[in-house]
Structure formats: structure tokens, C-alpha cells
Amino acid sequence: MSIVQRMDHFTIVTDKPDETKSFYAQLGLHPGARPNFAVNGFWLYASEGKPILHVIEVKTMPTPRRGALDHMAFRGENMASTLDWLKGQNIQYRLTRAPDPFRTWQLFFPDPNGVEVEIDFDPSEPQPADWKGNAPMTPRN
């Protein structure tokens, strides 16, 4: 018997709702329908029409913070423009390549709440000119 069929969504808590919404909008997620929960927040949708990121608004972040989410991963396209955007926003990032046989590009960076975001790109995406193996990369000044 298989109970789990696929990942449905991630939920993050933020005391920076506007900054969080804007950040994810620049990654292509857009607000959409959400049930009338008793707590404020919003759901962010991907292009396929599914809410994949649930955001709960709080006045102050809980102490201690809950959970042990290491990172959330999305599938992306156009790595070059994503890298340009990160550099333009002065967001620290790290770009790695998954080992054989997959060779997927893996791009890691923090959201405004300190949650690590991963975007995976097809191995056929062009290698950035300034890529130096799996060493951490940082934005240009």
C-alpha cells in the first residue's frame, strides 16, 4: 500500500509578509485562493495552478522556532537569468552540480525569513562563465 503520492506544499511562518510575497513573486510564484483560516497568511501558486507554498503571518516569530526543515526545492528553468536576479538583489547563493548520472544544477539561497531555497535546473542548462566547480559562489559587488 502506498499512502504518499506526491509533495503537496511547504508552509513557512513569517513576520515579513510583504517582503516574503515580493521575494517569491520574483521567483514566479503568485498569490491565489486560500481558505478563510482564522490566521492571516497567503498561498503562493506555481504556473501549473497548484498552491505549493503556504505562508502564515505572525507579529513576531515563535521562540523557539518549530520544526527542522532543512530546505525546500523547486524545479526551475533559465538558470542564467535566475543567477542575474540573485546577483542584482545581492543575495548570497551557492551553485553545485549533482553527481553522475544526474548532473542536475542545484542553486541554493535564503529567503527573507532565513529558509533555504533550492532551485534545480536541467543538466543541459549552460554552465555560468564564472562557475568554479562546487565551491560556494557569492554575488558580485
Side-chain angles (χ1 to χ4, degrees):
M1 173 169 81
S2 177
I3 295 173
V4 175
Q5 298 173 350
R6 65 177 172 85
M7 175 52 74
D8 189 73
H9 68 275
F10 289 94
T11 299
I12 62 173
V13 175
T14 185
D15 58 354
K16 303 172 187 172
D18 294 335
E19 189 177 339
T20 300
K21 191 180 291 183
S22 174
F23 179 86
Y24 284 102
Q26 293 178 62
L27 293 176
L29 299 182
H30 59 278
R34 176 180 182 261
N36 294 322
F37 291 117
V39 296
N40 289 333
F42 49 92
W43 283 6
L44 297 175
Y45 286 67
S47 59
E48 56 190 33
K50 304 278 188 212
I52 60 173
L53 184 59
H54 296 183
V55 180
I56 297 172
E57 297 177 27
V58 296
K59 292 195 185 307
T60 58
M61 293 299 284
T63 305
R65 291 183 183 229
R66 287 187 353 185
L69 174 66
D70 183 70
H71 68 279
M72 64 180 96
F74 302 101
R75 189 69 171 178
E77 59 185 9
N78 200 341
M79 183 172 65
S81 67
T82 306
L83 291 170
D84 288 344
W85 173 75
L86 289 167
K87 291 171 186 174
Q89 299 294 309
N90 203 31
I91 296 172
Q92 300 256 341
Y93 64 88
R94 135 177 90 80
L95 179 64
T96 64
R97 196 116 201 216
D100 289 331
F102 298 105
R103 304 296 294 153
T104 305
W105 289 104
Q106 298 173 298
L107 179 62
F108 298 90
F109 53 93
D111 85 349
N113 308 289
V115 176
E116 187 169 61
V117 175
E118 174 184 349
I119 301 180
D120 293 333
F121 297 93
D122 192 88
S124 66
E125 294 250 4
Q127 176 174 309
D130 57 352
W131 189 62
K132 296 177 177 77
N134 282 339
M137 293 179 70
T138 55
R140 296 180 184 141
N141 291 333

